[in-house]
Amino acid sequence: MIGASFDYGILPSLSFDDVTIKGSNWNIAARFYPFFESFFVGVGFGKQTLKGLKVDTINGQAVTATADYSQTILIPHIGWRRVFAGGFFFGTELGVQLPISKAFTITTDRPDVEAAFPTQTNDLKNSANVQADKYGDIPLPWVGIIQFGIFL
């Protein structure tokens, strides 16, 4: 009737235009199975991290900006898990991730260019910071399309 789990997920490296993004998350969750079946209602607490790389040209020199974003989240969710013999399970879940706190930093691989062209570098950093602030404070969907593992 009651379950607990440690979950880990990854976002493989995705590239579009000149931006590459990858990420991961972990959470500890408690689940309540009200019908003693596969359906559950749960809540999780965890951390999500994203890393983005963007290559830009400043005064003819290639500069790679790296954005590191981490967020502590609370995740109310519902779902379904079918447990098979031996404890193997297959399931899915849907919920919302509620931000509790966040941290965001941007660094470049060329401090010499950054020092020589502070206005252009700050414009690049400020643009990324605006996007992080915009999306870092709003609830986002939490979707586990395919989940599998072992119940112990």
Side-chain angles (χ1 to χ4, degrees):
M1 183 170 194
I2 296 176
S5 69
F6 172 79
D7 303 312
Y8 182 79
I10 60 168
L11 174 65
S13 184
L14 303 172
S15 295
F16 50 95
D17 293 332
D18 56 353
V19 176
T20 302
I21 298 173
K22 62 182 176 178
S24 64
N25 66 61
W26 63 264
N27 74 78
I28 298 169
R31 294 184 176 89
F32 174 65
Y33 295 82
F35 309 114
F36 296 95
E37 293 288 331
S38 298
F39 174 78
F40 65 83
V41 177
V43 64
F45 173 82
K47 188 162 199 126
Q48 176 173 277
T49 60
L50 294 171
K51 177 175 277 216
L53 300 168
K54 180 178 181 358
V55 178
D56 206 350
T57 302
I58 297 178
N59 201 37
Q61 299 190 40
V63 177
T64 301
T66 302
D68 289 300
Y69 182 81
S70 66
Q71 182 179 53
T72 303
I73 52 178
L74 186 67
I75 313 149
H77 58 280
I78 61 171
W80 174 88
R81 283 196 174 167
R82 171 79 165 106
V83 181
F84 298 94
F88 177 77
F89 75 84
F90 179 78
T92 188
E93 65 186 39
L94 177 64
V96 62
Q97 62 182 32
L98 305 170
I100 297 173
S101 67
K102 66 181 177 181
F104 183 67
T105 59
I106 300 176
T107 57
T108 67
D109 66 339
R110 297 289 306 269
D112 57 329
V113 173
E114 191 171 344
F117 303 96
T119 302
Q120 293 90 333
T121 305
N122 284 334
D123 287 347
L124 178 63
K125 288 182 177 182
N126 288 337
S127 172
N129 212 2
V130 165
Q131 295 303 316
D133 280 341
K134 180 178 177 182
Y135 295 107
D137 291 331
I138 61 173
L140 294 171
W142 177 265
V143 181
I145 297 172
I146 299 172
Q147 298 176 323
F148 58 89
I150 301 277
F151 271 113
L152 300 177

